[in-house]
Every structure is written in structure tokens, then in C-alpha cells.
Amino acid sequence: MKSYFRISDIRSDLESGSVSCVELVRHYLAKIEENKHLNAFLEVWGEEALEKAAEVDAKIASGHAGRLAGVVIALKDVLAFKDHKVSSSSKILKGFESTYNATVVERLLAEDAIFIGRTNCDEFAMGASNENSAFGPVLNAADTSRVPGGSSGGSAVAVQAGMAHAALGSDTGGSIRQPAAFCGLFGLKPTYGLISRWGLLAYASSFDQIGPMCKSLEDTMLLTSIMSGADGNDASMDQQPNRHYQAANPEKKYRFAVMRQAVEHPGLDSQVAEKTRFLLEKLQSQGHEITYFDFELLDYMVPAYYVLTTAEASSNLSRYSGLLYGYRSGDAKDLETTFTLSRSQGFGPEVKRRIMLGTFVLSSDYYDAYYQKAQKVRRIIKDKTAEVLKQADAILIPTTSTPAFKLGEKSKDPVAMYLADLFTVQANLAGNCAISLPLFENRDGLPIGMQLMCSHFQEQNLFDISQELLNIAKE
Ligand code: GLN
């Protein structure tokens, strides 16, 4: 089977009859079997995907197939798919099945996408390496001694290793972009409010966004178009109907803003720095404008992010009490021990750490010192980001300061792990859209991602500029 990089190629082969949806699904199922050791999937819906494929084949024959006919998609284990298990890679949701579809699931199904399985991730999407899953780590297919990034590590590896054509992830502080960068994919964190969060198991609601992880920019645009747009079930959204992102070639000269503190950061890997310099020089030589700006707040971003997200998480995760759904401790004797034992046995160590941090920063004695202060820092970061983007079309920085790190390298040191989010949390704190582009590899063949960030709801610009970067990096 040939490897497809674009949905449009799948479509033309389906229409010419050179491939069928059933053949495609069989192919991906074989790849999943072959790559079991990567631990990317928690569950594979093989039979069902084959049945759905046969239905879609019939639709193609009758000329009524949707835009995602034959597109095999993996779902991060944080998205509700009716009558299917969803667990956030946690023991606390043991046995839980969703009773409804997430809006994104509904919209993709309406276009005849085929879901092949749910992917491993960090428990409750808390992590940057996929080592926090209750079901074991995911391995990076480029080098199995390395992490795929997190928290959407299983989704990234599913696409990287050809086990699905595309995948959905969620991004609260980098969980789509960082694994996309580590696995050589396109990963979009849409503007906060572009895509409905209905049916997404919440981590930090004012940060979370769902987005696509793909092998091409074209597919990223198509999936984003289909998933975007108003949804009465998510009150925090932009109320516009869905958008139609398209490849455009405006042949414009762009103004790029580069954060000096990021590109001169002491923790920046030398090959990532080298590629960044190369890209900036190329852009300049093609007539684009590069300006450097100072962002003294860089060192405050990760702390502000962790104060606010743990606060929100501690409240969101209070619903997992052992009473309503999921895991209930067999040792519980009364209401109190149902709560305490179910939660202490059901949640993993990182989730517990964050719940404790979150309740601490929200407690009355510390609310002003931590939570309020972090809210103020968030506001300043948002304003500063908006100000920079008034003078520039996009902010350009590497997605991560290093390529994929080794399994176990940071798992004993939570602060080192939190710092892996250094370049990605800004877009979530400010709500902007941001994309990671798979532009380079280091000398060992490990992918290096470059990140673009644009103003709120400027996804079309983000895609246009991404195309320009792809053209330039290819030359
Ligand atoms: N690594 C970050 C965290 O652990 C980001 C996670 C995410 O975006 N879901 O919170």
C-alpha cells in the first residue's frame, strides 16, 4: 500500500477505484499489529472500522461520500465517542463508556471519517512525555529509546508510524505541538474557542483545545475547517459558523517576530538553535522581515501556567469521586472512604501532585499570592503577545528547546519536565493559535519542529505563513 500524505490523494484513489476504504482499514490494522511495541493504542476498534469502511465504500460508489471518506483517524483517549470506552489513560475511569459523542467526533463522522481506536496519552493529559499514562509509556518510532512527547503521544506515534492517517489530540500547554515536533508531524493548537470542547475530558478548561495531528498542511486545514465553528454545547466558543481554510499563495512578504529570550535561551539544544538560525537567515534572504523582541516574562510563563492549570484541574477532577462513574475502591466502607480510597487508588502520582498543587493555590490563605498573581501574569502575557502581533504577522520560535528526550530522562524531576513546555504555553495562556511544523531533523534523524503563532482566529494567516516556511525550508 502506498503511503498517503494527503487526504486529497486518498480521495482520488478511492474515486478511481485503485483502493477501497476496506483495504485502507486493513492496511492500518496490520500496521497497528506490527507496531504494538510502541504502545500507541489503548484500544483498537478493528471490526467496527471495517464495517464502517464497507459502508463508506458503498457511499463512494453511489457518489454520496463525505469529505473524509476513507480517512482513518485515531482519537486521543480524552474524547467522547458514544458507546466506546474513554479513560484519559487513567485507572479512575476504569470501565467507563461514553453515552454521547464529542462535537468533533460528530462532525468528523458526518463527513465519513473512520475511527480506528483510542490512543494512549499522559493521564488526564498531564505530561510532556507520555510517561504518566496508567497504561505504560508510548515509544517514539524514530528512536524507541526516546519519548514521543506528550500528552498526545499515542496520537502522534499512531500517525508517525502509519497506524492511522491522522489523529486528534488536545493541547492545554503544548500537548499537540510538542509531540508533533518530536514525531515529525503538523500539529495545530487552534485559537481558544475555535473548536468545541464538548465531549473533551477536561484538564484545564480555560486552556484546553482540541486539534489535528497530520502529515500535511493541507490535511490540517481540512480537519480544522470541519471541526471549527459554533456549538451550543460550548459556551466559551466563538459563535461563528465553521470556516473554510484553503491553500492560498498570497506571495506576501511577512513580518516575523522572534523572541530573543527564546532563541538565546541557555537550554536551547545546539542543533535546534542552528536550524532556527538557518531558517531565519533564509527568510530574511527571501525578503521577509525579522524583528527581535524582548520578553522578560519568559521565565514566568511556565510557573503561571502550572498555577492556573493545576487550580482548574483540581476543580475539574473533583467529579471523579468513586460514586458516579469509573473506578470505586473495593476497600471502601462508607462515603468518606469511597472518596478517599477511590481517588487515591484511581489517580496516578502526577495527577495527585497537580490536584494537591491546585487545591493549595486556591486555598484562602494562598489565593492572592498564587492564583490571583498568576491570573495577572496571564493578562500581561496576553497583552504583550497581542502587542507583538500588532507589529508582526507571526511569532516564530522553535516548538521545543530540544528534540525528543530519552525515556526516563526527566521523569524523576517534575520541574525539568515542566520546563519542556517553555515555548508552547504562551499560546495557551494568551489563547492564540499556534502550529508546529515538521521542518527539520537533527544529525541523528530526530525531528525538529518550528512553531508559528498568530493572533486570535487568524488560522488562515497561520496556514499561509506555514506554507511559505515549508517552501523555504525545502529549497
Ligand atoms: N506538558 C503540559 C502539562 O503537563 C501540557 C499538557 C497539555 O497540553 N495537555 O500540563
mmCIF file of all heavy atoms in Angstrom, residues 76 124-128 150-151 170-176 203 305-306 309 354 417-418 421 428, ligand 1:
data_model
loop_
_atom_site.group_PDB
_atom_site.id
_atom_site.type_symbol
_atom_site.label_atom_id
_atom_site.label_comp_id
_atom_site.label_asym_id
_atom_site.label_seq_id
_atom_site.Cartn_x
_atom_site.Cartn_y
_atom_site.Cartn_z
ATOM 1 N N LYS A 76 -7.469 10.576 20.520
ATOM 2 C CA LYS A 76 -6.817 10.589 21.835
ATOM 3 C C LYS A 76 -7.837 10.143 22.877
ATOM 4 O O LYS A 76 -9.019 10.512 22.791
ATOM 5 C CB LYS A 76 -6.313 12.011 22.131
ATOM 6 C CG LYS A 76 -5.578 12.159 23.452
ATOM 7 C CD LYS A 76 -5.046 13.571 23.620
ATOM 8 C CE LYS A 76 -4.309 13.769 24.928
ATOM 9 N NZ LYS A 76 -3.803 15.151 25.083
ATOM 10 N N PHE A 124 -4.951 12.125 32.166
ATOM 11 C CA PHE A 124 -5.658 13.409 32.148
ATOM 12 C C PHE A 124 -4.895 14.502 31.393
ATOM 13 O O PHE A 124 -4.991 15.677 31.706
ATOM 14 C CB PHE A 124 -6.079 13.862 33.556
ATOM 15 C CG PHE A 124 -7.282 13.110 34.019
ATOM 16 C CD1 PHE A 124 -7.144 12.028 34.858
ATOM 17 C CD2 PHE A 124 -8.546 13.416 33.551
ATOM 18 C CE1 PHE A 124 -8.246 11.262 35.231
ATOM 19 C CE2 PHE A 124 -9.647 12.664 33.913
ATOM 20 C CZ PHE A 124 -9.509 11.599 34.757
ATOM 21 N N ALA A 125 -4.101 14.061 30.421
ATOM 22 C CA ALA A 125 -3.349 14.984 29.542
ATOM 23 C C ALA A 125 -2.309 15.792 30.311
ATOM 24 O O ALA A 125 -1.898 16.863 29.879
ATOM 25 C CB ALA A 125 -4.298 15.897 28.764
ATOM 26 N N MET A 126 -1.897 15.260 31.467
ATOM 27 C CA MET A 126 -0.913 15.982 32.286
ATOM 28 C C MET A 126 0.457 15.367 32.078
ATOM 29 O O MET A 126 0.794 14.343 32.680
ATOM 30 C CB MET A 126 -1.305 15.891 33.759
ATOM 31 C CG MET A 126 -2.622 16.564 34.032
ATOM 32 S SD MET A 126 -3.127 16.269 35.726
ATOM 33 C CE MET A 126 -4.718 17.078 35.716
ATOM 34 N N GLY A 127 1.232 16.000 31.222
ATOM 35 C CA GLY A 127 2.570 15.484 31.000
ATOM 36 C C GLY A 127 3.128 15.957 29.679
ATOM 37 O O GLY A 127 2.418 16.553 28.857
ATOM 38 N N ALA A 128 4.406 15.702 29.486
ATOM 39 C CA ALA A 128 5.080 16.155 28.269
ATOM 40 C C ALA A 128 5.906 15.020 27.677
ATOM 41 O O ALA A 128 6.779 15.259 26.851
ATOM 42 C CB ALA A 128 5.966 17.359 28.591
ATOM 43 N N GLY A 150 4.375 14.547 24.897
ATOM 44 C CA GLY A 150 3.060 14.335 25.495
ATOM 45 C C GLY A 150 2.309 15.643 25.576
ATOM 46 O O GLY A 150 2.865 16.679 25.236
ATOM 47 N N SER A 151 1.097 15.608 25.937
ATOM 48 C CA SER A 151 0.450 14.395 26.382
ATOM 49 C C SER A 151 -0.132 13.551 25.245
ATOM 50 O O SER A 151 -0.429 12.377 25.462
ATOM 51 C CB SER A 151 -0.667 14.735 27.366
ATOM 52 O OG SER A 151 -1.637 15.543 26.750
ATOM 53 N N SER A 170 -5.306 16.877 22.140
ATOM 54 C CA SER A 170 -5.772 18.074 22.846
ATOM 55 C C SER A 170 -4.529 18.773 23.368
ATOM 56 O O SER A 170 -3.509 18.135 23.633
ATOM 57 C CB SER A 170 -6.710 17.700 23.990
ATOM 58 O OG SER A 170 -6.029 16.911 24.937
ATOM 59 N N ASP A 171 -4.635 20.095 23.468
ATOM 60 C CA ASP A 171 -3.468 20.912 23.777
ATOM 61 C C ASP A 171 -3.854 21.932 24.843
ATOM 62 O O ASP A 171 -4.666 22.819 24.599
ATOM 63 C CB ASP A 171 -3.015 21.603 22.480
ATOM 64 C CG ASP A 171 -1.657 22.287 22.592
ATOM 65 O OD1 ASP A 171 -1.460 23.025 23.571
ATOM 66 O OD2 ASP A 171 -0.818 22.120 21.680
ATOM 67 N N THR A 172 -3.278 21.761 26.025
ATOM 68 C CA THR A 172 -3.551 22.658 27.146
ATOM 69 C C THR A 172 -2.344 23.562 27.369
ATOM 70 O O THR A 172 -2.482 24.711 27.796
ATOM 71 C CB THR A 172 -3.842 21.807 28.410
ATOM 72 O OG1 THR A 172 -4.890 20.895 28.097
ATOM 73 C CG2 THR A 172 -4.224 22.652 29.605
ATOM 74 N N GLY A 173 -1.165 22.992 27.053
ATOM 75 C CA GLY A 173 0.072 23.770 27.215
ATOM 76 C C GLY A 173 1.120 23.317 26.212
ATOM 77 O O GLY A 173 2.303 23.599 26.384
ATOM 78 N N GLY A 174 0.687 22.569 25.205
ATOM 79 C CA GLY A 174 1.649 22.108 24.194
ATOM 80 C C GLY A 174 1.425 20.675 23.754
ATOM 81 O O GLY A 174 2.194 20.143 22.946
ATOM 82 N N SER A 175 0.398 20.038 24.285
ATOM 83 C CA SER A 175 0.230 18.593 24.096
ATOM 84 C C SER A 175 -0.053 18.127 22.683
ATOM 85 O O SER A 175 -0.022 16.928 22.428
ATOM 86 C CB SER A 175 -0.881 18.086 24.997
ATOM 87 O OG SER A 175 -0.343 17.840 26.256
ATOM 88 N N ILE A 176 -0.353 19.042 21.774
ATOM 89 C CA ILE A 176 -0.422 18.651 20.364
ATOM 90 C C ILE A 176 0.903 19.005 19.693
ATOM 91 O O ILE A 176 1.513 18.203 18.992
ATOM 92 C CB ILE A 176 -1.589 19.376 19.645
ATOM 93 C CG1 ILE A 176 -2.925 18.823 20.130
ATOM 94 C CG2 ILE A 176 -1.446 19.258 18.121
ATOM 95 C CD1 ILE A 176 -4.148 19.510 19.559
ATOM 96 N N TYR A 203 -9.160 19.041 31.383
ATOM 97 C CA TYR A 203 -7.977 19.170 32.240
ATOM 98 C C TYR A 203 -8.039 20.586 32.821
ATOM 99 O O TYR A 203 -8.380 20.763 33.989
ATOM 100 C CB TYR A 203 -6.736 18.852 31.411
ATOM 101 C CG TYR A 203 -5.386 19.345 31.909
ATOM 102 C CD1 TYR A 203 -5.190 19.798 33.205
ATOM 103 C CD2 TYR A 203 -4.281 19.323 31.056
ATOM 104 C CE1 TYR A 203 -3.938 20.247 33.632
ATOM 105 C CE2 TYR A 203 -3.030 19.766 31.482
ATOM 106 C CZ TYR A 203 -2.874 20.237 32.767
ATOM 107 O OH TYR A 203 -1.645 20.677 33.176
ATOM 108 N N TYR A 305 1.498 29.189 34.181
ATOM 109 C CA TYR A 305 0.729 28.116 33.549
ATOM 110 C C TYR A 305 0.412 27.018 34.565
ATOM 111 O O TYR A 305 -0.727 26.549 34.669
ATOM 112 C CB TYR A 305 1.522 27.541 32.360
ATOM 113 C CG TYR A 305 0.970 26.241 31.833
ATOM 114 C CD1 TYR A 305 -0.089 26.237 30.927
ATOM 115 C CD2 TYR A 305 1.483 25.013 32.251
ATOM 116 C CE1 TYR A 305 -0.620 25.042 30.458
ATOM 117 C CE2 TYR A 305 0.970 23.819 31.791
ATOM 118 C CZ TYR A 305 -0.083 23.829 30.896
ATOM 119 O OH TYR A 305 -0.606 22.655 30.440
ATOM 120 N N TYR A 306 1.403 26.602 35.350
ATOM 121 C CA TYR A 306 1.174 25.492 36.285
ATOM 122 C C TYR A 306 0.300 25.892 37.471
ATOM 123 O O TYR A 306 -0.468 25.076 37.982
ATOM 124 C CB TYR A 306 2.492 24.830 36.714
ATOM 125 C CG TYR A 306 2.915 23.827 35.661
ATOM 126 C CD1 TYR A 306 3.774 24.175 34.638
ATOM 127 C CD2 TYR A 306 2.346 22.550 35.644
ATOM 128 C CE1 TYR A 306 4.097 23.274 33.625
ATOM 129 C CE2 TYR A 306 2.660 21.646 34.637
ATOM 130 C CZ TYR A 306 3.534 22.006 33.633
ATOM 131 O OH TYR A 306 3.827 21.111 32.636
ATOM 132 N N THR A 309 -3.324 26.054 35.663
ATOM 133 C CA THR A 309 -3.881 24.776 35.178
ATOM 134 C C THR A 309 -4.102 23.785 36.333
ATOM 135 O O THR A 309 -5.073 23.037 36.310
ATOM 136 C CB THR A 309 -2.988 24.115 34.107
ATOM 137 O OG1 THR A 309 -1.660 23.995 34.618
ATOM 138 C CG2 THR A 309 -2.983 24.918 32.818
ATOM 139 N N ARG A 354 -0.778 17.302 41.001
ATOM 140 C CA ARG A 354 -1.418 18.513 40.462
ATOM 141 C C ARG A 354 -2.694 18.873 41.214
ATOM 142 O O ARG A 354 -2.998 20.045 41.398
ATOM 143 C CB ARG A 354 -1.679 18.317 38.981
ATOM 144 C CG ARG A 354 -0.354 18.160 38.244
ATOM 145 C CD ARG A 354 -0.477 18.491 36.813
ATOM 146 N NE ARG A 354 0.729 18.089 36.103
ATOM 147 C CZ ARG A 354 0.998 18.430 34.864
ATOM 148 N NH1 ARG A 354 0.158 19.176 34.197
ATOM 149 N NH2 ARG A 354 2.108 18.031 34.271
ATOM 150 N N MET A 417 10.657 18.449 33.733
ATOM 151 C CA MET A 417 9.600 18.062 32.793
ATOM 152 C C MET A 417 8.719 19.273 32.468
ATOM 153 O O MET A 417 8.371 19.508 31.320
ATOM 154 C CB MET A 417 8.756 16.938 33.407
ATOM 155 C CG MET A 417 7.765 16.323 32.463
ATOM 156 S SD MET A 417 8.570 15.346 31.168
ATOM 157 C CE MET A 417 8.653 13.744 31.965
ATOM 158 N N TYR A 418 8.374 20.071 33.481
ATOM 159 C CA TYR A 418 7.511 21.234 33.253
ATOM 160 C C TYR A 418 8.205 22.227 32.319
ATOM 161 O O TYR A 418 7.569 22.889 31.511
ATOM 162 C CB TYR A 418 7.137 21.940 34.566
ATOM 163 C CG TYR A 418 6.314 21.086 35.539
ATOM 164 C CD1 TYR A 418 6.055 21.517 36.838
ATOM 165 C CD2 TYR A 418 5.776 19.859 35.147
ATOM 166 C CE1 TYR A 418 5.312 20.744 37.729
ATOM 167 C CE2 TYR A 418 5.030 19.081 36.024
ATOM 168 C CZ TYR A 418 4.806 19.526 37.317
ATOM 169 O OH TYR A 418 4.066 18.763 38.190
ATOM 170 N N ASP A 421 7.838 22.553 28.488
ATOM 171 C CA ASP A 421 6.724 23.314 27.903
ATOM 172 C C ASP A 421 7.066 24.782 27.684
ATOM 173 O O ASP A 421 6.187 25.590 27.342
ATOM 174 C CB ASP A 421 5.505 23.275 28.845
ATOM 175 C CG ASP A 421 5.123 21.867 29.224
ATOM 176 O OD1 ASP A 421 5.289 20.969 28.396
ATOM 177 O OD2 ASP A 421 4.644 21.677 30.362
ATOM 178 N N ASN A 428 -1.316 29.054 24.848
ATOM 179 C CA ASN A 428 -2.478 28.677 25.659
ATOM 180 C C ASN A 428 -2.798 29.738 26.690
ATOM 181 O O ASN A 428 -3.963 30.012 26.978
ATOM 182 C CB ASN A 428 -2.244 27.338 26.355
ATOM 183 C CG ASN A 428 -1.829 26.245 25.392
ATOM 184 O OD1 ASN A 428 -0.683 26.221 24.965
ATOM 185 N ND2 ASN A 428 -2.742 25.373 25.029
HETATM 186 N N1 GLN B 1 3.021 19.380 29.418
HETATM 187 C C1 GLN B 1 1.938 20.236 29.776
HETATM 188 C C2 GLN B 1 1.310 19.774 31.067
HETATM 189 O O1 GLN B 1 1.730 18.794 31.552
HETATM 190 C C3 GLN B 1 0.946 20.322 28.673
HETATM 191 C C4 GLN B 1 -0.079 19.275 28.676
HETATM 192 C C5 GLN B 1 -1.179 19.506 27.695
HETATM 193 O O2 GLN B 1 -1.085 20.369 26.821
HETATM 194 N N2 GLN B 1 -2.255 18.772 27.879
HETATM 195 O O3 GLN B 1 0.426 20.365 31.566
#
